[in-house]
Structures are given as C-alpha cells and as structure tokens.
Amino acid sequence: QSELTQPPSASGTPGQRVTISCSGGSSNIGTNTVNWYNQLPGMAPKLLIYSNSQRPSAVPDRFSGSKSGTSASLAITGLQSEDEADYYCAAWDDSLSGWVFGGGTKLTVL
Amino acid sequence: QVQLVESGGGLVKPGGSLRLSCAASSFNFKAYYMSWIRQAPGKGLEWLSYISPSGTTIFYADSVKGRLTVSRDNANNSLFLHLDSLRAGDTAVYYCARGGIAVPGAAAFDIWGQGTMVTVSS
C-alpha cells in the first residue's frame, strides 16, 4: 500500500483537460514539496513537475501542478495521444526519512 | 549528455544476492545525492535508498533494511547496490536516479537510468 494515494486510472479525449489527484499526510505532502513523474510504456520515469508546480524546461506548459494542505494535483490541458502514460506523485516523508510514491495513475487518451 | 546507465541485472536464485552498478556521465557526480528505486512488473515505483554525495549518509526503506547495501565510488562516477537474501518479491526493474545537492528531500529525481531487470526465480 502506497503512502500517497492516487486514482488508479484517468481518461480524457484529445484537447480535454484532465486532473490527477495525490493525497498524503502531514509528514509528507503536508510538510514537503511534491514532484510528479510520467512513465511511457517500457520507458524509465521522467520528471514532469518539481517543487509542487515547477516545470523542467523541456516539459510543455500544458502540464501544471498544485498543492494544498496534504493533497496535490497534476493538470494536463490540451490532452494529446502522446500523454498516454502512467503518472506518479512523490514526496519526502519526514517520519520515514525517505521518499514515498503514489501508486500511479494510468492515463488513457480516448 | 547527462546520463545514468545501470548494469548487473539478470536471473538470480532465491536466497542469492545481486550487485548492480550505475555509471554516471557528464555531470559532477560527487556533488549529488543518488537513489535506487525499483518497479515490480506491472506495479508502481518503490524508493529503496539514498546515499549522500560523500557516501557517509545512507538511508534505506524499511522494506529492504538489513538486506540492502548501497555505496558509491566518486572517483569513478559509480553507484552500487548490493541486495542479499533475494526472494521472488525482489523481482523488479531497478533504477538509479539523481537527486539534489542539498538535503536529500529537497530535490526531485531529475535524471533516471534506463533500468536493469532483476528476476528472482529458481
């Protein structure tokens, strides 16, 4: 069982906006920043969002992140077929002195 | 370009041990926290361990504590994982990933290796 809770699946049609939630607790999201990764089939994970809402330079601005309290969310606007992937949230956990990941959300572009 | 390349995966018998390596290139390896993360087939990501830039501070996930040893060789830009008493549940793709240069929880994993598959089976 993951320390961070994500919905197992999400879907949308091309051009739509979708959001993926990530729920944690006071020792992880409540205290530390959240990072998001996506993983295309058969590939290594890739950093998508760091420090709650910052995008690496190569990530399109269609991707955005936010955090409130002990929850975070990833939003994808203008959904494209190549966005079909697994998405993971992660945060440092002060109680565990380690990183915790969400269980992952499989995004399907219909 | 900035790169991490894991090696050492393969088929290992239950009860055995494995040693994985991660070769870093094109960045100042000795300045960065490094982590090992694994992913069982069809499952999510599981953080295993981080090691400080100097190698003097190492933390392990409870799930592998006592069986996992992580080390680094900054002179050769290499990170290592040694896992003992292997069981079927250790079957996974093992990734090395670059963390930050400050406190371990302050930065994301911005560079990942391609992963190396480890299968524990008799």
Side-chain angles (χ1 to χ4, degrees):
Chain A
Q1 189 172 352
S2 304
E3 297 286 338
L4 305 182
T5 302
Q6 297 180 236
S9 64
S11 63
T13 56
Q16 246 186 346
R17 179 180 187 270
V18 297
T19 60
I20 297 171
S21 62
C22 175
S23 177
S26 57
S27 61
N28 42 66
I29 295 179
T31 312
N32 300 296
T33 59
V34 178
N35 307 312
W36 290 90
Y37 304 89
N38 71 345
Q39 184 177 34
L40 297 172
M43 303 293 286
K46 177 188 134 184
L47 179 62
L48 204 59
I49 296 287
Y50 65 96
S51 296
N52 302 327
S53 59
Q54 303 302 302
R55 277 179 293 106
S57 57
V59 174
D61 59 7
R62 301 186 297 105
F63 295 89
S64 62
S66 63
K67 184 185 105 166
S68 178
T70 58
S71 294
S73 64
L74 173 71
I76 309 171
T77 58
L79 198 62
Q80 299 179 5
S81 58
E82 54 261 41
D83 298 333
E84 193 160 280
D86 293 323
Y87 291 79
Y88 295 91
C89 59
W92 178 261
D93 190 294
D94 290 339
S95 297
L96 300 175
S97 291
W99 290 95
V100 289
F101 284 94
T105 298
K106 184 176 185 61
L107 175 63
T108 301
V109 181
L110 302 169
Chain B
Q1 74 275 25
V2 175
Q3 195 173 358
L4 296 169
V5 178
E6 301 93 339
S7 60
L11 179 64
V12 189
K13 291 191 185 324
S17 62
L18 73 93
R19 186 172 190 262
L20 304 180
S21 301
C22 170
S25 56
S26 302
F27 68 95
N28 187 13
F29 176 75
K30 66 182 181 219
Y32 286 86
Y33 281 84
M34 298 294 297
S35 277
W36 285 99
I37 296 154
R38 70 182 178 184
Q39 185 173 36
K43 302 296 184 183
L45 301 170
E46 179 188 14
W47 172 82
L48 298 177
S49 175
Y50 78 75
I51 184 168
S52 63
S54 65
T56 54
T57 300
I58 307 171
F59 267 78
Y60 300 107
D62 287 343
S63 60
V64 291
K65 200 172 290 184
R67 298 193 298 129
L68 178 63
T69 302
V70 169
S71 61
R72 64 191 296 163
D73 179 354
N74 286 342
N76 290 293
N77 297 328
S78 295
L79 176 71
F80 304 102
L81 173 151
H82 186 100
L83 187 60
D84 291 319
S85 303
L86 289 168
R87 40 213 189 210
D90 294 316
T91 295
V93 175
Y94 285 74
Y95 296 100
C96 60
R98 188 178 82 171
I101 59 175
V103 294
F109 302 123
D110 62 343
I111 304 294
W112 295 65
Q114 86 287 354
T116 187
M117 181 70 203
V118 172
T119 302
V120 181
S121 175
S122 55

